[in-house]
């Protein structure tokens, strides 16, 4: 089910106009992409609670703009430095026939039964919490599941190991490759310190041991 959000066309522009909108409980914003840039404003409370939902950040949204529905993506928003107040928001129109580039959240499952945790006493480290993907708007998943149930101590899950939904591919660029680590089971800190201490203790003993004498013929 599509997430809907309501907006009205914003006539007045500028810093003063935006300040007056915020004082009246509205949030200034823009819609860009296909066609012209549209200045909008939205009810603050409705928007604030929608932003708290994870799906709102990684879904194709239905923006109801004065009776006209548009498919959009949330692209950016600005919060007040210390108040729970949305200052500005940006949406991008979506062409349902073209692939888009977007980040989706990762949901980690079966951490507690991973051998590296259950038997080895390790700790799961989430290196990534979201994944860059490419797909058509109609194939956009709400999240990508990462199964950690098979991970042993010191082992990792990489982007290439993820089971992506049909029509979805990882967007590889720069350091974000298919070999990038998504999550790993770290060796317990105490075990590492114990190993280091054992090596440190063994070194002087080895140095003090007398050299073996050559056997007499």
């Amino acid at each position: 089910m599509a997430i809907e959000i309501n907006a009205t066309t914003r006539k007045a522009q500028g810093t003063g106009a935006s300040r007056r909108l915020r004082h009246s409980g509205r949030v200034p914003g823009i819609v860009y992409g296909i066609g012209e840039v549209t200045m909008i404003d939205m009810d603050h409370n409705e928007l604030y609670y929608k932003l708290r939902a994870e799906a709102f950040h990684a879904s194709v949204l239905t923006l109801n703009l004065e009776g006209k529905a548009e498919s959009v993506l949330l692209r950016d928003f600005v919060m007040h430095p210390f108040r729970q107040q949305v200052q500005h928001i940006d949406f991008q129109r979506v062409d349902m026939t073209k692939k888009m580039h977007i980040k989706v959240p990762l949901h980690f499952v079966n951490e507690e039964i991973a051998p590296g945790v259950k038997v080895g006493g390790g700790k799961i480290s989430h290196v990534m919490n979201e994944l860059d993907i490419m797909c058509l708007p109609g194939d956009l998943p709400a999240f990508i599941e990462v199964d950690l149930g098979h991970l042993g101590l010191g082992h990792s899950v990489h982007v290439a190991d993820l089971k992506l939904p049909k029509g979805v591919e990882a967007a590889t660029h720069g350091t974000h490759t298919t070999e990038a680590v998504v999550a790993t089971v770290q060796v317990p800190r105490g075990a590492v310190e114990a190993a280091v201490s054992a090596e440190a203790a063994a070194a002087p003993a080895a140095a003090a041991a007398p050299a073996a004498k050559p056997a007499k013929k």
Side-chain angles (χ1 to χ4, degrees):
M1 184 177 178
I3 300 175
E4 297 189 2
I5 191 79
N6 302 301
T8 57
T9 303
R10 175 161 52 104
K11 304 296 190 297
Q13 300 180 31
T15 304
S18 295
R19 187 182 300 115
R20 287 190 292 273
L21 276 172
R22 297 186 189 104
H23 283 319
S24 66
R26 307 288 293 179
V27 179
I30 62 170
V31 183
Y32 62 90
I34 306 166
E36 298 181 354
V37 174
T38 303
M39 315 297 287
I40 63 171
D41 63 80
M42 317 177 78
D43 179 77
H44 179 272
N45 290 343
E46 179 189 7
L47 179 60
Y48 178 77
Y49 287 105
K50 285 275 180 25
L51 284 168
R52 295 175 66 179
E54 181 185 71
F56 192 74
H57 297 256
S59 298
V60 176
L61 312 170
T62 299
L63 178 70
N64 296 316
L65 183 59
E66 297 178 349
K68 181 183 177 182
E70 294 187 287
S71 295
V72 300
L73 288 173
L74 171 64
R75 280 308 190 189
D76 195 19
F77 66 97
V78 178
M79 295 295 296
H80 191 278
F82 54 87
R83 297 176 189 161
Q84 293 183 327
Q85 182 185 49
V86 188
Q87 298 280 284
H88 194 275
I89 193 156
D90 295 353
F91 295 99
Q92 181 182 0
R93 295 185 184 92
V94 171
D95 184 339
M96 300 300 287
T97 67
K98 294 183 179 180
K99 285 190 175 184
M100 59 185 185
H101 180 188
I102 189 172
K103 293 179 185 286
V104 295
L106 297 175
H107 284 191
F108 298 91
V109 297
N110 296 326
E111 296 187 22
E112 66 284 352
I113 65 171
V117 174
K118 192 173 181 179
V119 180
K123 182 179 180 181
I124 297 288
S125 174
H126 298 164
V127 181
M128 295 183 185
N129 288 307
E130 54 186 16
L131 181 71
D132 281 326
I133 63 167
M134 292 284 290
C135 67
L136 289 171
D139 293 329
L140 178 63
F143 59 87
I144 301 292
E145 187 174 278
V146 184
D147 189 352
L148 304 176
H150 64 286
L151 277 191
L153 196 61
H155 291 187
S156 302
V157 171
H158 300 84
V159 171
D161 301 322
L162 301 179
K163 293 181 179 179
L164 302 179
K166 184 179 179 181
V168 176
E169 58 183 300
T172 56
H173 54 86
T175 58
H176 189 82
T177 68
T178 55
E179 294 307 310
V181 175
V182 175
T184 186
V185 181
Q186 295 180 329
V187 178
R189 183 177 177 181
V192 175
E193 292 174 345
V196 172
S197 297
E199 288 181 9
K213 295 181 179 180
K216 293 183 179 179
K217 295 183 179 180

